[in-house]
Amino acid sequence: MKETNFKTDTKGKESKKPDIKIFVSHRIDMEAETIDNPLYVNVRCGAVFDKRENIDMLGDDTGDNISEKRESFNELTVQYWAWKNVDADYYGLCHYRRYLSFSDKTYKVESGESNNNCVVEDYLSEKIIVKHCLNEKKMREVIENNDVIVFKPIKAQFNNIQAMKKSPDYHNIEDMYETLKIIKELYPDMSSIAEKYMNNNEIYLYNCFIMRKEIFYKYSEWLFNILFELEKRIDMKYYSINQYRTPGTIAERLLGIYIAYLSKCKQIQKQQLIFFKYIKKQSELQPFKKEQVTIVSNFNDNYAKIFSTFLLSALMNISKDRYYEFVVLSEDIREENKNKLLGIVREYKNVKISFYNPFKMLDDVKLFVDNSVYSKDLYVRVIIPYILEKYDKVLVIDVDTICKTDLKELYDQNVSSYCMAAVRDTVYGGYLNGARCDIVEYCKNTLKLIKPYNYCNTGILICNLNKMRQKYSLKFLINHINTHKYMIYEQDMLNVLYDDDILFLDPKWNVFTYTNSHIENSVLYAPKKDYENYLKARKQPYIIHYAAHPKPWWVSSADFGADYWNIARISPFYEELLATVSWHLSNHLVAQSNTNIKIGRFRRIVDIILPHGSKRRKIVKKLLFR
């Protein structure tokens, strides 16, 4: 692995560049994004347990290694492997989601359990690499002029001993006392430094550093001598999964002790540490079958249960001779919820669900949201043409919908001459006719639509992605998001961008419900033809859209609520949906009475409806009354 790089000195002679290797410890259960920089060496931690095939990344299980200690030594298995098997002039250690910054600037830090005193970034992107100077030239400049680079310590409220005592879920303080005893026995000249450091409130965490070769060798020998001796003296048989990481967490304190020891005679540079929130590497989205029906939805984890009802309703109407892909665009869906959704389609050979996090593309964008009811997820659909670059045409459907017919009938409609197809918004037509006095002026001065009455509801769309990409570049779309603040967020934006380039669909494809009196009144204000078409569509809807508030999972008696709950009953999220409607009813009762009397009665009703001892009763009560 020895690299041969050269630089030219002032006399024009070539000389070797110092060989710098910063070992990045990677998990074996997740493929993470990496930095394209020759100074970083990516290594699988605990590679001896990796059962995957055709993995190119180096593992810590060759030569002299302790790969099997991954669960207790964590990233230290990579450090040990590098120490024993790789030659370099400088050695470093960091993690797949934590990297030392080389910027001269100081950035705001956070104080969470996993990112304490770290600069938190959402994504590992080119912008962030530039921001933190993670390029070879700058890194060499800093590294080659210092003996040690280390994470800036946390100025804690408590000293190291107190901090460990206050976290018994991670630390058995007796293990740290035993470690101090071992230091006194094996390295008596370090004992007073260790005691002083442990009673200091400067804390080094995460085992991230870079050291000159001779320092790294001495530190590694010192560290592992202590930890291997500690292993012999403590019994971790009954430790929890977090406590079982004791050698790795104690190593964090040992690093701090060693830095205190080195500080008297070595040049030590302290840099900020970066923590990346979303580091999982994603495969590019592409169709899995020719002529498939592609349905795209974007939402956050809170709406996974709502998506389940839409998904189930769509599956009830699909054709056996056609393929369907449901693409879920989300940043934060938990694995538990993903598995529930995947379970719904498991028996369908012609259906696939793909999950993709699109927000790296919006990392530079100021996503304007001034209403707590909405989220930044709204803006994802504006850049869908570039999120799904391998697709020619897709349906984009809100999750607060249920299908009454096969979505292939919608997908197969000819939109070749248009960017989009959608249903004219009857409610908005009512706004323009006086249901909202501010809309006419807003349309004229802000939206500047050619035909305001052709404003469409974007909850259900057919998108001709090829034509959309021809019309606007990704750069243009992102700039538009950055520079415009609309009243109805992305819906206004899409109407502005594709004004007069929209094919209007039969209203049956987007029958929004009478969720409240304001919506019902607005429909009455709509142009006569739109009003009549809406009433006709209500009699036989193809897609029911619960567009406004309250939703049927808030109020079970909502318009078309029976249709919704007929689907919800078979959802794997049914108990959560019950708890949601119950929670909203509880809040309503409390708000109405201003006492706890009605809420008490409501809880008794839940007890009566759901039999004692039933799994469903336990789940609902846990979710509702926690």
Side-chain angles (χ1 to χ4, degrees), residues 5-187:
N5 295 318
F6 296 91
K7 63 181 180 181
T8 304
D9 60 23
T10 55
K11 295 181 180 179
K13 295 178 180 179
E14 289 186 333
S15 60
K16 279 188 179 181
K17 288 182 180 179
D19 189 5
I20 300 170
K21 287 186 169 63
I22 302 168
F23 297 89
V24 186
S25 174
H26 283 263
R27 287 164 51 170
I28 58 171
D29 61 342
M30 185 189 83
E31 189 175 359
E33 294 281 0
T34 57
I35 299 175
D36 185 14
N37 180 327
L39 302 188
Y40 291 114
V41 180
N42 298 297
V43 184
R44 289 171 294 138
C45 175
V48 69
F49 300 108
D50 195 351
K51 304 304 180 186
R52 297 173 295 171
E53 296 181 354
N54 302 318
I55 303 298
D56 294 329
M57 187 181 291
L58 293 169
D60 64 357
D61 58 340
T62 60
D64 187 352
N65 72 85
I66 55 169
S67 183
E68 77 285 350
K69 294 182 184 289
R70 176 197 65 171
E71 291 184 345
S72 55
F73 276 64
N74 309 312
E75 63 279 346
L76 299 183
T77 64
V78 173
Q79 179 181 338
Y80 184 92
W81 176 81
W83 173 40
K84 292 294 186 179
N85 298 284
V86 182
D87 187 27
D89 298 312
Y90 286 86
Y91 293 78
L93 181 66
C94 61
H95 314 164
Y96 69 101
R97 68 186 317 139
R98 296 186 185 93
Y99 290 81
L100 286 163
S101 172
F102 287 84
S103 173
D104 296 326
K105 297 179 181 178
T106 299
Y107 295 101
K108 180 183 175 182
V109 298
E110 295 193 12
S111 56
E113 182 179 316
S114 60
N115 56 32
N116 203 346
N117 209 42
C118 294
V119 181
V120 177
E121 304 287 4
D122 284 340
Y123 299 97
L124 202 170
S125 63
E126 284 304 316
K127 178 193 78 170
I128 298 303
I129 288 173
V130 171
K131 175 181 175 179
H132 291 285
C133 301
L134 302 181
N135 61 80
E136 183 178 2
K137 182 179 178 182
K138 176 63 175 178
M139 290 170 66
R140 281 189 174 277
E141 180 186 314
V142 176
I143 294 168
E144 292 174 21
N145 285 289
N146 290 282
D147 297 310
V148 177
I149 317 290
V150 72
F151 165 43
K152 283 185 178 179
I154 299 162
K155 299 284 187 179
Q157 185 179 354
F158 309 102
N159 65 38
N160 279 275
I161 288 290
Q162 291 169 330
M164 294 181 80
K165 283 182 177 179
K166 289 180 178 293
S167 302
D169 51 331
Y170 279 93
H171 309 290
N172 178 350
I173 194 62
E174 296 302 322
D175 295 340
M176 190 66 233
Y177 289 144
E178 190 63 35
T179 302
L180 292 173
K181 184 178 176 183
I182 292 169
I183 292 173
K184 191 170 186 178
E185 293 172 8
L186 300 182
Y187 304 96

Side-chain angles (χ1 to χ4, degrees), residues 214 261 516 520:
E214 64 276 11
Y261 163 72
N516 56 59
E520 194 166 358

Side-chain angles (χ1 to χ4, degrees), residues 258-513:
Y258 208 78
I259 294 300
Y261 163 72
L262 292 173
S263 62
K264 296 180 180 179
C265 58
K266 300 296 180 183
Q267 181 66 36
I268 298 175
Q269 177 69 27
K270 297 174 183 179
Q271 297 287 136
Q272 289 190 297
L273 193 67
I274 318 160
F275 176 88
F276 292 101
K277 288 170 68 175
Y278 306 104
I279 200 71
K280 187 174 182 179
K281 190 172 184 178
Q282 300 192 105
S283 300
E284 186 180 31
L285 287 169
Q286 55 185 352
F288 77 107
K289 290 289 181 180
K290 190 177 181 181
E291 300 300 322
Q292 69 178 41
V293 179
T294 307
I295 305 103
V296 182
S297 297
N298 56 287
F299 53 91
N300 58 43
D301 188 62
N302 292 329
Y303 266 72
K305 56 183 176 287
I306 313 305
F307 175 74
S308 74
T309 53
F310 160 67
L311 177 61
L312 284 161
S313 70
L315 295 175
M316 289 176 179
N317 295 285
I318 64 171
S319 301
K320 293 181 180 179
D321 61 349
R322 196 72 176 268
Y323 289 94
Y324 300 77
E325 181 181 15
F326 292 86
V327 179
V328 175
L329 303 177
S330 182
E331 184 177 60
D332 65 349
I333 297 185
R334 290 172 292 149
E335 290 301 316
E336 175 188 358
N337 287 342
K338 285 183 182 179
N339 290 333
K340 283 184 179 181
L341 295 172
L342 290 168
I344 292 174
V345 303
R346 191 164 289 127
E347 301 302 318
Y348 294 83
K349 304 301 182 185
N350 60 331
V351 178
K352 177 185 179 182
I353 298 183
S354 301
F355 296 95
Y356 190 84
N357 182 350
F359 280 95
K360 188 172 182 179
M361 293 178 72
L362 291 169
D363 197 29
D364 247 348
V365 187
K366 299 170 185 175
L367 302 176
F368 169 71
V369 179
D370 65 349
N371 188 324
S372 61
V373 173
Y374 300 101
S375 75
K376 66 179 185 178
D377 296 83
L378 295 166
Y379 289 101
V380 166
R381 65 184 53 195
V382 179
I383 61 166
I384 278 175
Y386 292 95
I387 297 170
L388 289 96
E389 276 197 291
K390 301 289 186 182
Y391 296 71
D392 300 327
K393 179 182 181 182
V394 300
L395 302 180
V396 178
I397 302 182
D398 280 351
V399 297
D400 54 354
T401 57
I402 57 171
C403 301
K404 292 287 190 175
T405 193
D406 192 340
L407 288 175
K408 77 173 185 179
E409 303 299 330
L410 179 61
Y411 183 86
D412 288 344
Q413 299 210 28
N414 185 359
V415 294
S416 59
S417 299
Y418 298 87
C419 282
M420 295 192 325
V423 171
R424 186 181 286 105
D425 197 321
T426 308
V427 172
Y428 207 85
Y431 290 172
L432 290 167
N433 279 355
R436 276 189 60 169
C437 59
D438 59 334
I439 289 298
V440 172
E441 186 179 350
Y442 173 70
C443 268
K444 180 181 178 181
N445 297 329
T446 303
L447 300 187
K448 300 177 182 177
L449 298 175
I450 296 170
K451 297 177 181 178
Y453 284 98
N454 278 350
Y455 184 98
C456 71
N457 183 285
T458 59
I460 290 88
L461 297 171
I462 309 173
C463 293
N464 180 346
L465 299 184
N466 284 331
K467 203 164 188 300
M468 294 169 88
R469 285 189 286 263
Q470 288 170 12
K471 188 161 190 171
Y472 299 117
S473 68
L474 176 60
K475 183 178 179 180
F476 178 91
L477 292 174
I478 287 177
N479 182 64
H480 196 85
I481 295 171
N482 251 332
T483 54
H484 290 77
K485 295 181 179 180
Y486 292 113
M487 188 182 294
I488 314 180
Y489 305 108
E490 94 298 346
Q491 181 161 283
D492 282 351
M493 190 173 294
L494 288 170
N495 274 279
V496 169
L497 290 168
Y498 301 103
D499 186 21
D500 211 31
D501 204 353
I502 301 170
L503 172 68
F504 289 98
L505 301 168
D506 188 316
K508 289 182 179 181
W509 286 112
N510 188 352
V511 176
F512 46 85
T513 58

Side-chain angles (χ1 to χ4, degrees), residues 560-626:
F560 286 104
D563 295 81
Y564 182 82
W565 284 98
N566 282 338
I567 306 295
R569 287 188 186 95
I570 61 172
S571 167
F573 295 88
Y574 181 48
E575 288 80 11
E576 290 185 44
L577 290 164
L578 279 178
T580 301
V581 74
S582 302
W583 184 84
H584 281 280
L585 179 56
S586 302
N587 280 354
H588 176 71
L589 291 172
V590 170
Q592 291 291 321
S593 65
N594 248 349
T595 69
N596 289 323
I597 295 173
K598 289 187 178 180
I599 187 68
R601 289 177 182 169
F602 175 72
R603 293 186 181 197
R604 287 197 292 277
I605 289 171
V606 171
D607 284 341
I608 293 167
I609 294 173
L610 301 173
H612 280 268
S614 71
K615 181 180 178 182
R616 182 160 288 166
R617 177 178 182 272
K618 290 176 182 176
I619 293 173
V620 171
K621 291 196 76 176
K622 181 180 178 182
L623 291 166
L624 177 59
F625 304 133
R626 60 181 182 269

